[in-house]
Amino acid sequence: MKDRIRKDDLKEKVMSAESAAMLIKDGMIVATSGFTPSGYPKAVPLALEKRVNEGEAIGITVLCGASVGDELDGALTRCGVMKRRYPYQTNNDLRNAINESQVSYQDMHLSHVTQFIDYGFFGKIDVALVEALAITEEGGIIPTTSIGLMPQAIKNSDMVIVEINMSQPMELEGMHDIYMTEKPPYRKAIPIEQTGDRVGTHYIPCPPEKIAAIVFTDIPDKVRPLGPIDEPSKLISGHIIDFLKYEVRKGRLPKNLLPLQSGVGSVANAVLGGLVNSDFKDLTCYTEVIQDSMLDLIDAGKVTIASGTALTPSIEGLKRLHENMKHYAKHCILRPMEISNNPEVIRRLGIISMNTAIEVDIYGHVNSTNIMGSRMMNGIGGSGDFTRNAYLSIFTTVSTAKNGEISSIVPKASHIDHTEHDVSVVVTEQGLADLRGTSPRERARKIIQNCAHPDYRDMLMDYLERAEKTKFKYQPHLLDEALSWHDRFLKTGSMKVD
Amino acid sequence: MKDRIRKDDLKEKVMSAESAAMLIKDGMIVATSGFTPSGYPKAVPLALEKRVNEGEAIGITVLCGASVGDELDGALTRCGVMKRRYPYQTNNDLRNAINESQVSYQDMHLSHVTQFIDYGFFGKIDVALVEALAITEEGGIIPTTSIGLMPQAIKNSDMVIVEINMSQPMELEGMHDIYMTEKPPYRKAIPIEQTGDRVGTHYIPCPPEKIAAIVFTDIPDKVRPLGPIDEPSKLISGHIIDFLKYEVRKGRLPKNLLPLQSGVGSVANAVLGGLVNSDFKDLTCYTEVIQDSMLDLIDAGKVTIASGTALTPSIEGLKRLHENMKHYAKHCILRPMEISNNPEVIRRLGIISMNTAIEVDIYGHVNSTNIMGSRMMNGIGGSGDFTRNAYLSIFTTVSTAKNGEISSIVPKASHIDHTEHDVSVVVTEQGLADLRGTSPRERARKIIQNCAHPDYRDMLMDYLERAEKTKFKYQPHLLDEALSWHDRFLKTGSMKVD
Ligand SMILES: CC(C)(COP(=O)(O)OP(=O)(O)OC[C@H]1O[C@@H](n2cnc3c(N)ncnc32)[C@H](O)[C@@H]1OP(=O)(O)O)[C@@H](O)C(=O)NCCC(=O)NCCS
Ligand SMILES: CC(C)(COP(=O)(O)OP(=O)(O)OC[C@H]1O[C@@H](n2cnc3c(N)ncnc32)[C@H](O)[C@@H]1OP(=O)(O)O)[C@@H](O)C(=O)NCCC(=O)NCCS
């Protein structure tokens, strides 16, 4: 315990998860650590669930960095404690509850969350519930595998509950770089000018009197398994690498590219994976989540620095990470999401963003969140923060879904998270469309010809050509048909016409 | 001429507009000064038009800061020289040509334009065609009433054509603050931390050997008349001011607010106008365009500093400005659009953005550009740069258009430029909806009840309630009806159902 709680008088705050959970009351706003299932509190949420299952009626608002594990999102949803949730999630039970409107959800840009907390836009944060590696001599909190919104949660609440997770290796200490911005009009320039710049402290400052409870736990992060890299993902990765090489030849990118950001999921993992066997070297990554393929890139000597706000390897990746923590620590920096997702830093560094879309329309508008316009999948996450401020913004998607019954290239996106103004490049397993400098009609032809699945290409061209015969030819649409593909899928199970 | 061309050997580059226009050849990419009809080149475009009307066949691509006057956009469109145009326009003839697909147009975020030039994404810029007040001893170019993309145009082209406009008063000298960013990976933090910070030079550096022609002209900026402030605009302004006062009371805004950005047009002018009679003082504005109401605010001692990239008063405003240039110069700074619209600075300063929408949907998605989904009006301009990075982002619109036959609040926006993730507040003459922290269904009720016109409120509630009965209740839509209001308007001339 000595190296975990380094300030002696805080030891009297140690208690059971059950006692700590009693501090959380009906109606409270609770901001937690955690970002993609890593570094999130586990014991106290489970204790809260128990209380409710024993008959208490509690409803709370939960703010996390991004998605968190089932012990938090799943458990609190199933027992009905979760009434409102911001800003991103990937849990099946929570997703269903959101789509049945049992949980109020607002899908937000991650870069907005921490400043909304600071600005008081959510109201007063009642409790900061955070997982920690250790508490320093001054009461500073050392995070575990993610940082997320922890600094702002701690700063803006009067009560901090700390879960010290003994399953997290002490070698994580030193990997974090905590820098916080002031509120306007006092905000200064963030002094990061290179991916690897360290500008802050190793811990999150916290007045010790705020710490109301310390709970010990050893529940490991419930990391998600990564599927094997499939053929479409490999093709997508290949198209992107060819494109990046071309940009280097044209003098529009330096030889070692610019800092890479890569989304979450299997395609994103495959894209980075493809770089292992490429000729690129001295790469850096300025991203949210450090996944397995990043470890591969570090091992292969391709990536010198990876900056993120969460370490989220698979189970095998976690083993590898723990065994070589010292090695990886030299190449990884964890930052608050306020910094990893900050428009200022992203724009300055000139990031190449690569995110996955649910669907893309012929004019380059991207849907990342709502299936058939209405059903929340996960959320926008940081994709908008990166896309909007990138040097080059790339979106990937497999050209069809649901065994080919859905075309991921559609006449009009059923929901729009990233507009035509923000998307530079679209890639599917079919090919790549470079949209820079194109008018909508030029864009449409590139996307249909290079990216759409052959089964849908003629249908899309037919839509476009008929739309072009109407009066307004800038971004031509047939309004009574624009969403008919989605409508047909909902009614018949296929976007195809018999 | 001595104070206009201060480097003697450049005097031999003086020539007629006709001779200078001969330097522009078919197929060229020409980047010009100008931002909203101010500070744009006039004599050379008119000479180019003459050449074409006399039988030459020339087609060029034109890049401007934003909209420019009829001598450039109108003349070159009518004679068919304008083949491609970026990134924003407001000229009637050009607009029609875009919507008839005679001119290829890409509607871009203004903050993307200058870096696209620097990155080489448009290809090589053949000619920089700029209006200047004077040329310094070193060949530096002093802009006139706007800066826009001039610095990057001059930096990235080998040939610079300068129009020295004698109708622009010398007192403008010293108002400009030229700071340019490097390309990544060499980009540094932009050192602006307060609205009034001056961080650059009074002129744009230009190697004198690049200057291929200097043309003297005295054609004045073709500024646009501003309509009188009407009743709906006054009501909108009142709602915004009440809201800002409330935020100050709640401690979420400082007493003197945060730097204001205000869009273009009559409503925007009225909103600022409303502040003249409010209790607010010591305000600052970090915006694109300095319009008449800004001069009023300066005169009333309400605004201490107005930073923009263009001075665009009305004809009366221009007179007032010229007569008191010394006075206004103390309170105004003109910056390159690379800086005025920079996400880094906007986010850091914590700007309150106020822009006008064409339509807003019940879930808070905003259409700023495409009427009925397809017909380009002007373009997104800087509205996305500000909205996306603001402290608070506000959109205004009158609740109906076309004599009430169109509802500006619709079930689903026919085009989306600003997503639900980016819009904090929606205001019409009916009232204000604060969307922060709301789920889509909560948002919809606020927008319908507070902002929609009474004639359409029941229809909107009916749509929402029927959509809520379908399977996916996160952001419920009826896909076969979502765009039917627009379709009905196109077919019957009204969104109303008989
Ligand atoms: C878009 C996103 C959901 C794709 O994730 P993925 O794991 O690569 O994609 P999958 O192919 O497994 O698709 C996920 C689901 O969407 C469905 N889907 C995919 N394309 C679809 C389409 N065009 N229409 C309808 N459904 C579609 C899949 O069928 C699957 O549904 P299921 O779970 O019912 O089988 C995911 O990347 C995401 O949430 N992105 C938004 C946030 C983000 O970009 N974060 C990174 C920021 S740093
Ligand atoms: C949105 C915008 C066009 C409104 O301009 P405005 O002068 O206040 O608006 P108006 O009421 O005159 O409307 C302009 C036109 O749109 C039409 N219109 C307005 N609302 C409409 C709606 N809901 N549906 C269809 N047409 C609509 C008007 O009828 C008018 O058409 P007309 O010229 O054929 O009569 C203008 O603000 C703009 O271009 N914004 C985008 C760029 C921007 O925000 N710049 C500021 C960034 S710093």
Side-chain angles (χ1 to χ4, degrees), chain B residues 376-394:
Chain B
M376 174 50 62
M377 183 68 204
N378 302 329
I380 189 166
S383 57
D385 299 325
F386 287 97
T387 294
R388 178 65 181 80
N389 297 293
Y391 183 95
L392 271 175
S393 65
I394 302 175

Side-chain angles (χ1 to χ4, degrees), chain A residues 88 261-267 288 355-359 368 371-372 375 377-383 386 397 401-402 406-408:
Chain A
Y88 184 81
Q261 175 263 337
S262 158
V264 285
S266 307
V267 174
E288 273 176 16
N355 292 290
T356 308
I358 288 174
E359 64 183 2
S368 289
I371 292 185
M372 301 299 142
R375 186 178 149 242
M377 182 69 204
N378 302 328
I380 190 167
S383 58
F386 287 97
T397 181
K402 299 286 173 209
I406 291 177
S407 173
S408 301

Side-chain angles (χ1 to χ4, degrees), chain B residues 86-272:
Chain B
Y86 307 91
Y88 183 81
Q89 55 72 41
T90 54
N91 183 277
N92 227 0
D93 289 324
L94 177 53
R95 180 184 297 128
N96 289 336
I98 288 168
N99 287 308
E100 282 156 19
S101 222
Q102 284 149 12
V103 174
S104 289
Y105 182 58
Q106 188 183 14
D107 177 25
M108 297 178 69
H109 293 299
L110 300 190
S111 81
H112 280 177
V113 178
T114 46
Q115 61 182 19
F116 264 45
I117 295 177
D118 261 354
Y119 297 170
F121 289 176
F122 293 120
K124 174 102 191 77
I125 306 297
D126 296 297
V127 178
L129 173 58
V130 300
E131 178 172 288
L133 195 67
I135 303 179
T136 69
E137 289 79 355
E138 298 78 27
I141 312 274
I142 305 177
T144 60
T145 35
S146 75
I147 303 179
L149 55 67
M150 255 175 104
Q152 283 75 19
I154 290 172
K155 177 179 158 203
N156 288 283
S157 71
D158 297 330
M159 191 198 291
V160 179
I161 302 178
V162 184
E163 283 193 16
I164 293 186
N165 194 321
M166 303 297 284
S167 81
Q168 298 274 21
M170 282 309 290
E171 285 79 8
L172 282 168
E173 187 171 354
M175 207 186 262
H176 312 94
D177 186 60
I178 312 290
Y179 177 92
M180 292 164 79
T181 65
E182 295 294 324
K183 281 195 286 188
Y186 307 109
R187 196 174 274 163
K188 302 277 168 231
I190 300 169
I192 298 173
E193 297 185 332
Q194 296 294 326
T195 310
D197 287 352
R198 285 191 166 270
V199 297
T201 54
H202 290 349
Y203 56 85
I204 302 167
C206 176
E209 62 278 11
K210 278 195 183 184
I211 299 179
I214 301 174
V215 173
F216 277 85
T217 171
D218 58 6
I219 312 174
D221 281 339
K222 196 146 282 157
V223 290
R224 274 174 303 189
L226 270 177
I229 296 185
D230 59 11
E231 206 44 44
S233 303
K234 273 189 208 152
L235 288 169
I236 290 173
S237 175
H239 297 315
I240 293 180
I241 289 168
D242 287 346
F243 170 74
L244 295 175
K245 282 187 192 157
Y246 179 77
E247 290 296 299
V248 172
R249 279 202 304 280
K250 285 280 172 186
R252 291 191 291 250
L253 275 179
K255 258 195 193 142
N256 70 334
L257 304 178
L258 285 165
L260 302 170
Q261 175 263 337
S262 159
V264 284
S266 309
V267 175
N269 197 52
V271 169
L272 282 188

Side-chain angles (χ1 to χ4, degrees), chain B residues 88 261 288 355-356 358 371 378-380 383 401-402 406 408:
Chain B
Y88 183 81
Q261 175 263 337
E288 274 176 15
N355 292 289
T356 308
I358 288 174
I371 290 183
N378 302 329
I380 189 166
S383 57
K402 300 287 173 207
I406 291 177
S408 301

